Amino acid sequence: MISTFHGLELLKRALFANEAMMNTAGHNISNANTPGYSRQRVDLTEDTPMFEPGLTRSETAGQIGTGVVMSDITRIRSSFLDQQYRDNNSTLSQWTENQTTMNQIQAVFNEPSDTGISTVMTQFFNAWAQLANPQSSNDPSARSVVQERAQTLTNTLNSTAKSLQDTQTNLLNGVQADVKQVNVYLQQISGLTQQINTIEASSSDKANDLRDQRDEALDQLSKLTDVTVAEGNGTYTVKIGGQTVVNASGTATPTVTQLTADASGNLSIPVASGELKGYSDSIANVTNYQSMLNTMVNTFVQGNAQVSLPNTYAFPANTTSMPFDAVLPDGTKLSKGDPVSNIPAKYNGELPTGTTITVAGFNGLHQLGYTAQSPSTNAPAFFQTSDGSSTFTAANIKVSDAITSDIRNIAATTQAQPDANGNLQAVAGNGDLAAMASNFGSSVLDFSNAPANGITYPQGTVTGYYNAIIDQIGIQGQQANQNVTNQQALVNQISNQRQSVSGVSIDEEMANMIKYQQSYNAAAKMVSVMDQMFNTINSMVQ
């Protein structure tokens, strides 16, 4: 015999179920714009009907339903799309950082421009061309221009080096900031995981909102580094670079492995992608360009360089051995230290026009000449280092003190003769050294000691080497731009797919709200009908 109050119990469950669905729809609408929120759904199922087969079974035909049961509140989420999003979001962040750094490097070199290294180097060589003019070789103003252009060149190189170092410092600071943020996210994920495990272990309820917060923290973490998640059998692990950084089991406090970085930006756990990987790549790129620029400067100043004599070269008095390697126009090769007497007799002990000589960079070339002092002396090195080291870099190169203190120490000629008093004087109107200096940009230099991770350029001109650096910067910048564009499109696509699964549609929720309201009203109407039935029964009893 079915209880008289069976209908009320059945309808009570209907009211509770529809009320829960309306509340859940309201929760969805309230969080439609909350980052990381996943749409929730009330799962309904029929309750166990009456009666089960047995000896005490009622004579009533069929099984009477007992209404609806709210079995769970489920958040709509795809773990597959979550991992796809995090993987691609991490790669996007890596390339975005690479793109940002390459844009900064391009801005540092600022090519082509009126103030870039290429332009000021050309102006430096042009100043020497003016000094090479016979009418200008003894003109103080021509030497002043050479001095000014040289100082502009070294100042530009110093400024470029400083800007690259500032970029490097900013990258290293970025690594430290990201490492701190990664550890904040790991602690947050650990705390949320413990709360989730505690709640779900003590009841059949799902900690949906806490899980959303944890997934949002994982999404943010994926911007900084690669991240993978595994959950099952009461365990939850988070890995970075293949190494476990959060390990949770049951309700115990999860273990967290902190990420650290040293002063050079090296991480305790090598990451595969993310902004931290972008920083690592960018630090390597900046270091590489610093090394290439320094190689160019050092080779330009004191590397082996082949220059061609514009005029006949007469050796200083009492010179008995070759001061440099030389290849004469007829193919005769002379090595440094060979007797001068090895020069073919037809050249009368001099080196003819067109002879290719090997000097120790621009400094070596300048030191072949004679100053405009009276009496004249051998020219000093044109450049020196600001820190006293023997290796030139873009940061330490400067015009030598001898040149900045007295422009007469700038040599224009390789020839000097004694005057009536026996004092050595530079030959007036001879600008052969200035001519060679003006053409030094097209002289072949030995770049065989260039960094192994730099451009392949064993021999060539200083302008050619510099242009190769600029070309590589352009190629890497273009590659970064293309990868960011492609990766952004992929992330957007996956994000849209995730949103279609987990996102809240206001129109859909409002439609559901109306449906739930109608169901609630219908159940309430049935309760009213049942109440009238009870009143009728009561009146019959009375």
Side-chain angles (χ1 to χ4, degrees):
M1 180 69 182
I2 299 175
S3 169
T4 305
F5 294 99
H6 171 72
L8 283 178
E9 177 64 25
L10 183 150
L11 293 171
K12 181 192 74 173
R13 296 178 182 179
L15 289 172
F16 286 169
N18 282 286
E19 182 181 13
M21 289 190 292
M22 284 191 289
N23 288 336
T24 301
H27 186 53
N28 288 338
I29 293 172
S30 299
N31 290 282
N33 297 314
T34 301
Y37 178 78
S38 302
R39 177 169 54 92
Q40 296 182 13
R41 178 189 66 204
V42 177
D43 293 333
L44 303 178
T45 184
E46 307 118 353
D47 198 4
T48 303
M50 298 173 60
F51 293 95
E52 295 292 338
L55 294 176
T56 60
R57 186 186 188 283
S58 171
E59 293 297 328
T60 304
Q63 288 189 328
I64 302 299
T66 58
V68 65
V69 173
M70 186 176 66
S71 60
D72 203 354
I73 297 180
T74 303
R75 67 180 192 133
I76 311 301
R77 194 92 181 189
S78 169
S79 59
F80 172 77
L81 289 177
D82 284 344
Q83 191 60 54
Q84 288 291 307
Y85 173 82
R86 290 163 190 157
D87 289 345
N88 286 280
N89 190 43
S90 186
T91 302
L92 173 61
S93 295
Q94 174 186 346
W95 281 111
T96 299
E97 182 53 44
N98 281 332
Q99 179 191 51
T100 299
T101 301
M102 291 311 303
N103 288 340
Q104 291 174 349
I105 292 175
Q106 288 176 341
V108 167
F109 281 91
N110 195 26
E111 297 288 359
S113 72
D114 293 337
T115 57
I117 293 175
S118 180
T119 297
V120 297
M121 189 177 292
T122 299
Q123 293 172 345
F124 173 69
F125 293 136
N126 288 343
W128 281 101
Q130 181 62 33
L131 182 60
N133 190 309
Q135 287 76 31
S136 303
S137 60
N138 292 324
D139 185 359
S141 64
R143 280 183 165 80
S144 294
V145 173
V146 170
Q147 182 195 59
E148 292 170 2
R149 295 304 188 190
Q151 289 177 327
T152 301
L153 174 60
T154 56
N155 289 340
T156 302
L157 289 169
N158 296 160
S159 176
T160 301
K162 183 180 183 304
S163 296
L164 286 175
Q165 188 56 50
D166 289 344
T167 301
Q168 188 80 300
T169 300
N170 291 337
L171 291 172
L172 292 172
N173 291 338
V175 170
Q176 298 297 334
D178 273 10
V179 166
K180 291 180 181 178
Q181 190 61 53
V182 166
N183 290 330
V184 168
Y185 285 136
L186 294 181
Q187 290 295 340
Q188 182 181 355
I189 292 167
S190 172
L192 288 169
T193 299
Q194 187 173 19
Q195 292 182 60
I196 292 168
N197 290 347
T198 301
I199 292 172
E200 295 183 353
S202 60
S203 68
S204 60
D205 295 337
K206 296 291 180 63
N208 292 326
D209 293 328
L210 292 177
R211 284 180 171 271
D212 282 344
Q213 293 175 33
R214 185 173 66 181
D215 282 335
E216 175 64 14
L218 287 166
D219 288 348
Q220 296 300 321
L221 181 61
S222 72
K223 295 179 181 179
L224 307 179
T225 178
D226 61 293
V227 56
T228 55
V229 177
E231 183 176 13
N233 299 322
T235 63
Y236 187 86
T237 58
V238 178
K239 292 184 178 181
I240 290 176
Q243 298 186 34
T244 300
V245 290
V246 176
N247 188 11
S249 179
T251 59
T253 301
T255 58
V256 178
T257 301
Q258 296 283 308
L259 184 66
T260 60
D262 62 19
S264 299
N266 298 312
L267 300 173
S268 57
I269 300 175
V271 299
S273 57
E275 192 171 80
L276 279 170
K277 176 60 174 172
Y279 277 132
S280 177
D281 293 343
S282 297
I283 289 170
N285 281 336
V286 173
T287 300
N288 193 29
Y289 286 118
Q290 287 175 317
S291 180
M292 287 191 287
L293 184 61
N294 291 338
T295 296
M296 183 193 80
V297 171
N298 190 63
T299 304
F300 169 71
V301 176
Q302 59 184 7
N304 289 334
Q306 299 175 12
V307 296
S308 179
L309 296 177
N311 300 316
T312 299
Y313 178 81
F315 292 96
N318 301 320
T319 300
T320 59
S321 60
M322 292 290 297
F324 40 67
D325 294 343
V327 179
L328 278 59
D330 64 1
T332 300
K333 295 182 179 180
L334 301 170
S335 299
K336 183 178 180 179
D338 286 350
V340 172
S341 59
N342 287 357
I343 298 175
K346 61 182 178 180
Y347 296 125
N348 299 319
E350 298 179 336
L351 296 179
T353 301
T355 296
T356 299
I357 63 173
T358 301
V359 296
F362 196 88
N363 272 356
L365 175 63
H366 190 257
Q367 288 172 312
L368 290 178
Y370 290 90
T371 68
Q373 301 281 1
S374 182
S376 182
T377 58
N378 293 108
F382 196 87
F383 297 104
Q384 69 182 60
T385 59
S386 59
D387 55 10
S389 66
S390 59
T391 302
F392 284 84
T393 67
N396 69 15
I397 186 174
K398 61 174 287 190
V399 179
S400 68
D401 295 336
I403 301 298
T404 56
S405 62
D406 193 339
I407 60 173
R408 291 176 298 177
N409 287 326
I410 298 176
T413 179
T414 63
Q415 303 299 309
Q417 295 177 349
D419 60 13
N421 298 321
N423 294 322
L424 199 64
Q425 302 291 343
V427 175
N430 185 312
D432 60 345
L433 188 137
M436 286 187 284
S438 69
N439 293 321
F440 199 79
S442 57
S443 298
V444 177
L445 304 179
D446 182 8
F447 290 99
S448 58
N449 292 324
N453 58 341
I455 54 180
T456 303
Y457 200 89
Q459 279 192 330
T461 65
V462 65
T463 52
Y465 187 86
Y466 181 71
N467 289 337
I469 295 176
I470 299 303
D471 289 344
Q472 182 164 310
I473 292 172
I475 292 171
Q476 284 192 301
Q478 185 179 31
Q479 181 185 20
N481 291 337
Q482 187 63 49
N483 284 332
V484 167
T485 300
N486 294 341
Q487 201 63 35
Q488 184 66 67
L490 189 56
V491 168
N492 289 343
Q493 180 184 16
I494 297 174
S495 180
N496 290 336
Q497 290 176 338
R498 273 212 316 178
Q499 191 65 20
S500 68
V501 173
S502 302
V504 176
S505 169
I506 297 296
D507 292 340
E508 181 181 353
E509 296 300 326
M510 290 301 297
N512 287 337
M513 184 73 77
I514 295 173
K515 181 172 64 175
Y516 303 149
Q517 181 185 19
Q518 289 176 340
S519 296
Y520 186 91
N521 290 339
K525 181 65 175 176
M526 285 294 296
V527 170
S528 177
V529 171
M530 293 294 294
D531 181 59
Q532 294 176 10
M533 291 172 59
F534 293 145
N535 289 335
T536 301
I537 293 173
N538 288 333
S539 64
M540 291 174 62
V541 172
Q542 294 175 359

